[in-house]
Amino acid sequence: MPIPRALLAAPLVLSLLGLGTASLPSEPHSTPAASYLPRLVVQGGAPAAALLARNSAYPPYDFYSSAGSGIRPDDHFRAGSITKTFVATVVLQLADEGRLRLSDPVDRYLPGLIRGNGNDGRRISLSALLTHTSGLSDYTDVPGAADGAGPSARVRSGTGAVRAAVARNPAPTRGIYSYSNTNYAVLGLVVQRVTGHTYATEIRHRILTPLHLDGTSLPGARTGLPAPHSRGYHRDRPEEALRDVTALDPRFAGAAGELISTLTDLNRFYTALLSGRLLPPARLRELLDTRSAQGAYGLGIYPQRLSCGITVWGHDGRIQGSFARTVATRDGGHTLTFRINTDALSDEALETGLVEAEFCPAPPPAGQPRNSQSP
């Protein structure tokens, strides 16, 4: 990938944009990924950007950096589709407890909900939902899904989301990977049917409380963000100015994307998940099995093969006013979460470059060990 021309102006950009950094006092460290934050602002059009990188290998570090103004290290922000990894983890825990089987059809738990217009819940397995191979259309493609206007104004619940999707023709053929938020809306309803509790309650009980993720929440109908938080910005069309969308009714996102979190909490969650603290080995292997989705997606998590041969795992989340992504090595020992306070990232190549810079740094001088990373 060619080096963006803005790289040549990086020293000036750093001073103008107020790049902030912090690292563990015991091990001063910087990360090459931080050099991409000013570019997310200048080239990507974000008001502000931030990252938190953690590595337990040599040299160990815990490094925060930001660019632009209005973002702080402990800010709460909307994590969007990163919610899906949390939901998938709960479903796999329930499978391990024998309370459901991934091969079960949706109709076993939600009889009659998915019917008509080429959709049939008797022929869609829970596994197909997890891997986005169900053939269900994405309810967020229905006009007005995010703002309650138009034909999808009823999308304020998981059931409403599924019905909006079923009213459309299925997007792909079943068995072919096609990302659809509807799949996780259905899984949220399945978790409630199996446990008698909402998916939000199960996530809190099974993940947030045990891992002490005190900055993470599922807001339900609450439109505000917990303090501290930055503002969130959105534009409907590329030529329009950004507008403030910090206050947002997250019910349209539901089990597909309502999560609020922090940089620290997301790193801690993916470290715990990939190191085996939340799932036994067999279930963790299922989580990372991408064969059903033709290599594109596991179960609520997806891989990215980098130029240096490392495969990293994680998820991104885009919701009005926020974009975030967490990426980690297979053992969870090296994690990176970065975010911007808008969903309008105009240069997605910067996202790839940032991840490559963090996990594929230049080789160290002769005689110095390279960071240990697991493929």
Side-chain angles (χ1 to χ4, degrees):
M1 183 177 69
I3 298 175
R5 225 174 306 171
L7 178 60
L8 301 177
L12 176 62
V13 171
L14 296 184
S15 62
L16 292 178
L17 295 179
L19 182 68
T21 61
S23 59
L24 291 174
S26 59
E27 189 66 54
H29 183 82
S30 183
T31 173
S35 68
Y36 276 80
L37 296 180
R39 287 182 255 176
L40 288 172
V41 176
V42 174
Q43 294 169 250
L51 65 78
L52 180 65
R54 289 180 170 174
N55 196 346
S56 59
Y58 181 88
Y61 57 83
D62 191 341
F63 181 81
Y64 171 80
S65 185
S66 66
S69 61
I71 280 184
R72 292 155 293 191
D74 297 328
D75 275 350
H76 299 82
F77 55 87
R78 302 190 191 278
S81 287
I82 293 174
T83 309
K84 292 179 174 69
T85 314
F86 287 75
V87 171
T89 301
V90 169
V91 171
L92 282 167
Q93 289 180 346
L94 291 170
D96 199 60
E97 295 163 10
R99 302 174 71 177
L100 56 77
R101 293 178 300 180
L102 301 188
S103 59
D104 286 341
V106 173
D107 233 50
R108 177 169 181 177
Y109 305 98
L110 305 169
L113 178 62
I114 301 176
R115 275 293 198 289
N117 212 10
N119 303 282
D120 189 344
R122 295 168 296 187
R123 302 176 64 187
I124 298 173
S125 68
L126 302 187
S127 179
L129 299 173
L130 288 161
T131 58
H132 295 292
T133 57
S134 69
L136 290 173
S137 295
D138 193 334
Y139 74 91
T140 65
D141 291 337
V142 178
D147 56 19
S152 65
R154 63 187 180 280
V155 178
R156 287 293 179 266
S157 67
T159 302
V162 177
R163 287 174 176 162
V166 169
R168 297 164 64 89
N169 290 322
T173 304
R174 280 184 295 110
I176 302 299
Y177 171 75
S178 181
Y179 190 90
S180 172
N181 288 288
T182 308
N183 293 313
Y184 279 75
V186 177
L187 288 167
L189 296 172
V190 170
V191 169
Q192 182 163 353
R193 181 59 61 90
V194 170
T195 65
H197 306 124
T198 65
Y199 65 86
T201 297
E202 290 297 318
I203 288 173
R204 282 193 291 268
H205 171 69
R206 294 169 176 271
I207 300 173
L208 306 188
T209 299
L211 296 182
H212 304 288
L213 304 183
D214 300 327
T216 302
S217 60
L218 294 110
R222 190 175 70 245
T223 59
L225 289 165
H229 66 82
S230 59
R231 312 304 296 176
Y233 300 95
H234 171 76
R235 60 167 59 94
D236 293 318
R237 288 183 291 274
E239 65 274 13
E240 294 182 347
L242 291 169
R243 58 186 175 88
D244 193 315
V245 292
T246 307
L248 176 73
D249 186 339
R251 286 178 293 175
F252 80 93
E258 73 161 297
L259 196 79
I260 292 170
S261 195
T262 66
L263 297 173
T264 298
D265 276 10
L266 291 180
N267 276 353
R268 186 180 300 165
F269 166 65
Y270 280 94
T271 294
L273 177 63
L274 292 168
S275 64
R277 289 183 57 190
L278 295 172
L279 296 172
R283 295 299 180 183
L284 186 55
R285 286 193 295 273
E286 282 184 279
L287 181 87
L288 303 177
D289 188 342
T290 65
R291 289 174 295 179
S292 295
Q294 298 84 51
Y297 202 86
L299 280 63
I301 195 169
Y302 63 83
Q304 181 181 355
R305 183 76 171 176
L306 304 181
S307 62
C308 55
I310 293 171
T311 296
V312 290
W313 295 85
H315 214 291
D316 62 348
R318 188 187 304 270
I319 190 170
Q320 283 195 356
S322 179
F323 175 83
R325 184 176 176 191
T326 302
V327 186
T329 50
R330 169 62 183 82
D331 62 358
H334 185 178
T335 58
L336 167 73
T337 297
F338 63 93
R339 60 169 293 229
I340 58 176
N341 59 347
T342 176
D343 54 302
L345 180 62
S346 60
D347 188 348
E348 295 186 0
L350 292 173
E351 178 186 345
T352 299
L354 190 154
V355 174
E356 287 271 353
E358 176 63 29
F359 293 93
C360 295
Q368 293 186 18
R370 188 187 183 104
N371 285 359
S372 174
Q373 297 169 337
S374 300

